[in-house]
C-alpha cells in the first residue's frame, strides 16, 4: 500500500493483487465513458488486481470513489477528456490520460500506474496538467476544455440575466428619447436584478476558465480579472473588453497560478500558498497587467474606432449599415459591439437612422442561433435546443448576449455566421432609412413604438436572422458538426444516466440488465443475420427498412436523415468491430432497435481502424431521449466490450439464436 508520506516520487509498486481505482469521463458522458470503465475493469480482473471505477457522465458521477477507497488504493487511473478534480487523490500515484487510452490500452495503463507520479494535492484537474509522458497535443485539449468549463458556468447567468431584463422591458417598460424607462419601481428592480446577472456573467466566464487551468487558487484572480475586463472605466475605456477580455484574463490567471506553483518556497510557507499567497500574487499581477498593459491599448483602439465611424456618416448608408452590423454581431456585447452601439446611441437625437441600423443588427445573433437549433435539430443536443429557445426570447428583446454560449463553443463557425447576418440586417435597414429614436435594439423597440419604418425594420431583422441561421448550419455541416463540448456548455451528445458500475464476475446481473434494456425493442422482426450493404450509408438505409417493418416507424426517410445527421456529429463506430448508429427522432412512434451483422465488415470511421461487423441501430422518439435511448446505448456500449459476447453474436446461427 502507498501512504501519503512514504514512497519517493516515481518509485514503482511491486507485486500482484493491487487495489486500483479509476475515473473515466468524456465530454459528452456517453458510450466512451462506459467503454473505458468496462475495459479497465476487465483488464484488472485478468491481471489479478481489484479495481473500482467511477464513471462521470455530464449528469454526475456514478459509483463514486469514497475516502476509504482512496486511502486504501495502490494507484489511480484517470482516463478522461474533461476536467476531473484530482485534489482528493493527494499522496497517491495518479496516472492521467485521455479516455481513448482507457479503451484501447487498459493493460498498459495498469502497468504504468505502478510508477506514476505521486499527486501532491496542489495540482489542477485532469484536464490541466498531465503526468510525464502524457500524449503529445494534450495542451490544445486543455485550452479547449478550460474554455468549455467557463462557458458551462456562464450559461445560467446569460439566461437568467437576459430573461429578467426581457420580462421587465416587455411588461414594465416604455420608450422615451433617453431610452426605455419603467412604469414602476417594481419593474425597475426586476431589470436591475437581471443586470446583476449580466454583470456577473463575464467574471464567471473568466473565473471558471482560470479554475480549469490552475485549480481553486486561480478562481479569485480569474473572477477579479473578468470584472476588470468588463469595467472599462478602470482603464479609460467606455466599452470595456467584454467576453473576449474575460477569456484572456481567465487564461492569464490560470497560467499565472501554474507558474507561481513552480516557485520553490520554504516548507513553512507551503500550507498558505494555495489560500493566501497564490491568489493575492496572481490577482495583483493579472489585474495590474490588464489595467496598465492590455486595457489602455484597448481604450485607444476603440476611441479611434468611434472617431472613424463618425467620419463615415456621409458615405453610403448601406456601407455604414454593413460595417455597424459586422461590429454589433462580432463580440455580442463586447467592446466592438459597444463601440458601434455607443456610436449609434450618441447620434440618436441627431441621426436616428444610425441607431436604426444598429437596432436591426442587435437581435440577429441570438435569433439566428435560436433559429438554427430549430432548422437542424439533429445538429444540436437537447441542452443546446433549450439554450436556443432562450436565445430566441432574448433576441426579441434586443439582448445580443443570448448568442454568447454558441459563439464561445464554436467561435470559428458561429461568429462569422453572426457577422454575416448582422451585416445584411444593417445594410437593409440603412437602405430603407429605418429610424430608431431610443438607444436600444430588437423587435421590442418596434413593438413599443420607437421605430420609424416598422415594416422594413422587421424585414431587415428577419433576413439577417435567416442568413445567420443558414450560415451556422452550413458551416457546422461542412465542419463535421459540432465540436465536443464541456458539460453544461452549449455538447455533441447527451449524458448517460447512472448504470451499474463494471464489477468483475457480474455477468449475470449485467445480462439481466441488458435483457431489461432491450425488452420489447429488439425482436426477431428487427434482426437480420447478414447485411447486403457494403457502405455505411447503405447499411443505415437497410437497417431503417428493417425497423420500418416493425410498424413503429412513421417516417422512414426522416429516420434515415436523423441517423445520418447524428453520424455527421461524429462517428458511431466504437471500435472492436462495433457500430451503434442512433437517433432521437419523432420519425418513430416508440423505441426500437435493429441488429445486423456484416460478413466483410463496413468502414465506419472507428478510432481503432476496424470495420464494423456488429451493427445496432437505436431510434427513440424525442420525448424519450433522456431515458430509454440512453439506457439502451449505455447497456450496449458496456456489454459489447465483452469479447465472449461479441464472439457469440458473430457465431450465432440464425435470427432466433441472435435474439
Amino acid at each position: 500500500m502507498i501512504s501519503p508520506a512514504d514512497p519517493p516520487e516515481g518509485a514503482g509498486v511491486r507485486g500482484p493483487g493491487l487495489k486500483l481505482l479509476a475515473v473515466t469521463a468524456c465530454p459528452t458522458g456517453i458510450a466512451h465513458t462506459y467503454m473505458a470503465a468496462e475495459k479497465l475493469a476487465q483488464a484488472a480482473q485478468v491481471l489479478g488486481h481489484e479495481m473500482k471505477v467511477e464513471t462521470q457522465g455530464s449528469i454526475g458521477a456514478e459509483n463514486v470513489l469514497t475516502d476509504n477507497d482512496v486511502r486504501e488504493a495502490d494507484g489511480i487511473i484517470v482516463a478522461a477528456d474533461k476536467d476531473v478534480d484530482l485534489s482528493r487523490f493527494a499522496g497517491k500515484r495518479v496516472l492521467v490520460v485521455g479516455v481513448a487510452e482507457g479503451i484501447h490500452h487498459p493493460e498498459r495503463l495498469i502497468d504504468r500506474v505502478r510508477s506514476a507520479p505521486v499527486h501532491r494535492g496542489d495540482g489542477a484537474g485532469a484536464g490541466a496538467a498531465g503526468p510525464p509522458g502524457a500524449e503529445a497535443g494534450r495542451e490544445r485539449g486543455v485550452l479547449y476544455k478550460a474554455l468549455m468549463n467557463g462557458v458551462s458556468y456562464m450559461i445560467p447567468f446569460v439566461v437568467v440575466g437576459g430573461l429578467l431584463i426581457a420580462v421587465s422591458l416587455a411588461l414594465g417598460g416604455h420608450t422615451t428619447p433617453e431610452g426605455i424607462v419603467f412604469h414602476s419601481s417594481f419593474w425597475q428592480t426586476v431589470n436591475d436584478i437581471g443586470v446583476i446577472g449580466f454583470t456577473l456573467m463575464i467574471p464567471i466566464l473568466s473565473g471558471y476558465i482560470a479554475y480549469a487551468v490552475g485549480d481553486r487558487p486561480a478562481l479569485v484572480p480569474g473572477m477579479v480579472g473578468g470584472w476588470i475586463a468588463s469595467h472599462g472605466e478602470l482603464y479609460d475605456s467606455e466599452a470595456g473588453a467584454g467576453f473576449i477580455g474575460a477569456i484572456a484574463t481567465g487564461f492569464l490567471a490560470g497560467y499565472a497560478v501554474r507558474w507561481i506553483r513552480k516557485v520553490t518556497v520554504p516548507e513553512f510557507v507551503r500550507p498558505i500558498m494555495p489560500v493566501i499567497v497564490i491568489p493575492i500574487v496572481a490577482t495583483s499581477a493579472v489585474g495590474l497587467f490588464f489595467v496598465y498593459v492590455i486595457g489602455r491599448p484597448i481604450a485607444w483602439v476603440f476611441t479611434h474606432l468611434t472617431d472613424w465611424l463618425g467620419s463615415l456618416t456621409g458615405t453610403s448608408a448601406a456601407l455604414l449599415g454593413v460595417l455597424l452590423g459586422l461590429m454589433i454581431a462580432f463580440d455580442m456585447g463586447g467592446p466592438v459591439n459597444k463601440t458601434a452601439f455607443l456610436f449609434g446611441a450618441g447620434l440618436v437625437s441627431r441621426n436616428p437612422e444610425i441607431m436604426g441600423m444598429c437596432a436591426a443588427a442587435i437581435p440577429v445573433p441570438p435569433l439566428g442561433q435560436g433559429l438554427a437549433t430549430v432548422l437542424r435539430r439533429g445538429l444540436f443536443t437537447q441542452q443546446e435546443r433549450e439554450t436556443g429557445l432562450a436565445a430566441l426570447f432574448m433576441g426579441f428583446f434586443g439582448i445580443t448576449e443570448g448568442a454568447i454560449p454558441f459563439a464561445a463553443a464554436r467561435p470559428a463557425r458561429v461568429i462569422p455566421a453572426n457577422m454575416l447576418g448582422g451585416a445584411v440586417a444593417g445594410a437593409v435597414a440603412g437602405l430603407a432609412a429605418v429610424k430608431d429614436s431610443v438607444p436600444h435594439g430588437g423587435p421590442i423597440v418596434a413593438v413599443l413604438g420607437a421605430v420609424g419604418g416598422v415594416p422594413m425594420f422587421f424585414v431587415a431583422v428577419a433576413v439577417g436572422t435567416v442568413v445567420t441561421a443558414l450560415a451556422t448550419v452550413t458551416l457546422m455541416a461542412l465542419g463535421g458538426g459540432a465540436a465536443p463540448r464541456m458539460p453544461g456548455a452549449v455538447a455533441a451528445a447527451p449524458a448517460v444516466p447512472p448504470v451499474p458500475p463494471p464489477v468483475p464476475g457480474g455477468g449475470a446481473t449485467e445480462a439481466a440488465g441488458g435483457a431489461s434494456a432491450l425488452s420489447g425493442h429488439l425482436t426477431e422482426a428487427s434482426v437480420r443475420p447478414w447485411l447486403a450493404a457494403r457502405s455505411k450509408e447503405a447499411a443505415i438505409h437497410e437497417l431503417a427498412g428493417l425497423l420500418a417493418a416493425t410498424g413503429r416507424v412513421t417516417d422512414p426517410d426522416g429516420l434515415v436523415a436523423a441517423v445520418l445527421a447524428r453520424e455527421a456529429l461524429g462517428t458511431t463506430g466504437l471500435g472492436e468491430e462495433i457500430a451503434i448508429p442512433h437517433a432521437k427522432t419523432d420519425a418513430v412512434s416508440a423505441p426500437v432497435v435493429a441488429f445486423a451483422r456484416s460478413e466483410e465488415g463496413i468502414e465506419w470511421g472507428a478510432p481503432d481502424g476496424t470495420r464494423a461487423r456488429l451493427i445496432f441501430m437505436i431510434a427513440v422518439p424525442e420525448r424519450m431521449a433522456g431515458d430509454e435511448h440512453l439506457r439502451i446505448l449505455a447497456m450496449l456500449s458496456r456489454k459489447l466490450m465483452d469479447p465472449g459476447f461479441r464472439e457469440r453474436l458473430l457465431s450465432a446461427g440464425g435470427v432466433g439464436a441472435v435474439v
Side-chain angles (χ1 to χ4, degrees):
M1 297 293 292
I2 301 172
S3 67
D6 275 348
E9 187 165 337
V13 179
R14 301 290 177 247
L18 301 178
K19 185 165 186 178
L20 302 174
L21 303 178
V23 180
T24 63
C26 60
T28 58
I30 200 160
H32 292 85
T33 297
Y34 289 89
M35 290 170 65
E38 188 75 4
K39 282 289 191 179
L40 286 165
Q42 288 175 356
Q45 184 180 20
V46 169
L47 296 172
H49 305 306
E50 180 183 349
M51 175 177 282
K52 179 178 179 180
V53 185
E54 176 182 306
T55 52
Q56 292 191 2
S58 63
I59 60 169
E62 178 70 10
N63 201 33
V64 176
L65 305 179
T66 66
D67 291 342
N68 285 337
D69 292 329
V70 175
R71 188 179 306 113
E72 298 173 3
D74 293 308
I76 299 154
I77 298 170
V78 178
D81 287 339
K82 56 175 272 190
D83 190 59
V84 174
D85 183 10
L86 301 184
S87 60
R88 54 183 166 155
F89 304 140
K92 295 294 180 179
R93 297 191 183 280
V94 179
L95 177 65
V96 181
V97 297
V99 71
E101 286 289 298
I103 297 172
H104 301 303
H105 307 292
E107 296 88 355
R108 184 189 305 172
L109 298 183
I110 291 172
D111 183 62
R112 286 173 57 191
V113 77
R114 296 168 177 264
S115 57
V118 175
H119 184 62
R120 298 303 184 190
D122 57 352
E135 60 268 27
R138 186 161 179 81
E139 188 66 16
R140 179 179 178 274
V142 170
L143 297 177
Y144 184 77
K145 286 184 284 185
L147 178 60
M148 292 303 97
N149 194 60
V151 171
S152 68
Y153 283 98
M154 176 189 70
I155 288 174
F157 291 85
V158 177
V159 174
V160 171
L163 295 185
L164 286 177
I165 292 173
V167 169
S168 67
L169 291 174
L171 302 180
H174 68 280
T175 60
T176 70
E178 290 75 35
I180 296 177
V181 298
F182 296 93
H183 297 293
S184 68
S185 60
F186 173 80
W187 291 114
Q188 178 67 62
T189 302
V190 173
N191 184 267
D192 291 342
I193 294 172
V195 169
I196 291 171
F198 259 11
T199 303
L200 291 174
M201 171 184 69
I202 298 302
I204 290 294
L205 173 64
S206 177
Y208 281 96
I209 289 174
Y211 177 82
V213 175
D215 208 38
R216 287 181 179 84
L219 189 59
V220 171
M223 287 193 173
V224 172
W227 185 274
I228 292 172
S230 65
H231 287 71
E233 63 271 16
L234 295 172
Y235 45 95
D236 300 327
S237 170
E238 286 189 71
F243 88 98
I244 293 177
I247 292 173
T249 56
F251 283 112
L252 281 172
Y255 281 100
V257 167
R258 288 175 64 173
W259 178 80
I260 295 169
R261 278 207 196 100
K262 296 178 181 179
V263 177
T264 302
V265 297
E267 189 70 30
F268 71 90
V269 178
R270 289 182 184 176
I272 64 170
M273 286 290 289
V275 293
I276 298 178
V277 177
I278 293 177
I280 289 177
V281 173
T283 300
S284 302
V286 171
L288 293 172
F289 181 78
F290 199 89
V291 168
Y292 290 108
V293 179
I294 299 178
R296 293 183 184 279
I298 289 177
W300 184 89
V301 167
F302 291 114
T303 297
H304 285 76
L305 187 57
T306 302
D307 293 341
W308 179 60
L309 283 174
S311 69
L312 293 179
T313 54
T315 64
S316 165
L319 175 61
L320 184 57
V322 167
L323 184 59
L324 291 172
L326 289 171
M327 295 176 66
I328 288 289
F330 172 67
D331 57 356
M332 296 148 285
V336 176
N337 170 288
K338 281 190 172 66
T339 297
F341 177 81
L342 292 173
F343 173 68
L347 296 174
V348 71
S349 59
R350 291 176 292 158
N351 192 348
E353 288 88 353
I354 304 297
M355 194 62 223
M357 302 174 201
C358 296
I362 282 170
V364 165
L367 290 178
Q369 295 306 316
L371 180 60
T373 66
V374 174
L375 294 177
R376 292 292 302 274
R377 294 174 62 84
L379 291 177
F380 301 89
T381 67
Q382 180 64 30
Q383 180 181 356
E384 288 178 305
R385 293 196 288 269
E386 292 171 359
T387 304
L389 292 176
L392 287 171
F393 194 65
M394 285 187 269
F396 177 81
F397 291 98
I399 301 170
T400 318
E401 289 88 343
I404 286 180
F406 296 93
R410 310 182 192 91
R413 299 170 193 173
V414 170
I415 291 178
N418 286 348
M419 293 175 67
L420 184 60
V424 170
V428 172
L431 286 172
V434 170
K435 299 179 181 180
D436 180 11
S437 59
V438 300
H440 196 74
I444 184 63
V445 294
V447 172
L448 294 177
V451 170
V454 171
M456 287 308 299
F457 172 78
F458 280 109
V459 168
V461 172
V463 173
T465 297
V466 170
V467 167
T468 287
L470 294 178
T472 298
V473 298
T474 300
L475 290 172
M476 287 178 65
L478 292 176
R485 290 172 295 284
M486 288 296 293
V490 281
V496 173
V499 300
V503 179
T509 301
E510 191 171 331
S516 174
L518 290 180
S519 178
H521 306 330
L522 185 145
T523 65
E524 292 190 3
S526 58
V527 171
R528 180 160 294 170
W530 300 106
L531 284 170
R534 294 291 182 268
S535 68
K536 177 164 72 170
E537 186 166 348
I540 289 172
H541 278 274
E542 189 172 343
L543 287 166
L546 192 62
L547 290 178
T550 66
R552 297 183 181 183
V553 179
T554 58
D555 180 4
D557 292 337
L559 172 59
V560 171
V563 174
L564 291 175
R566 171 59 187 88
E567 290 292 329
L569 297 177
T571 181
T572 56
L574 303 182
E576 306 284 2
E577 300 184 325
I578 303 162
I580 311 181
H582 52 276
K584 300 164 292 181
T585 172
D586 289 329
V588 297
S589 58
V592 64
V593 181
F595 170 71
R597 300 174 296 191
S598 172
E599 190 168 9
E600 298 177 359
I602 297 172
E603 177 55 48
W604 217 279
D608 64 357
T610 58
R611 297 167 69 87
R613 298 186 65 200
L614 300 172
I615 305 169
F616 287 85
M617 180 184 284
I618 306 170
V620 299
E622 285 279 359
R623 67 181 182 278
M624 303 181 73
D627 186 8
E628 276 308 276
H629 170 253
L630 299 176
R631 195 157 59 92
I632 295 168
L633 188 55
M635 183 281 298
L636 285 175
S637 299
R638 291 165 52 92
K639 188 64 180 170
L640 289 168
M641 288 298 96
D642 179 359
F645 180 72
R646 297 198 303 271
E647 186 59 36
R648 291 196 300 277
L649 273 181
L650 281 171
S651 60
V655 171
V658 168
V659 173

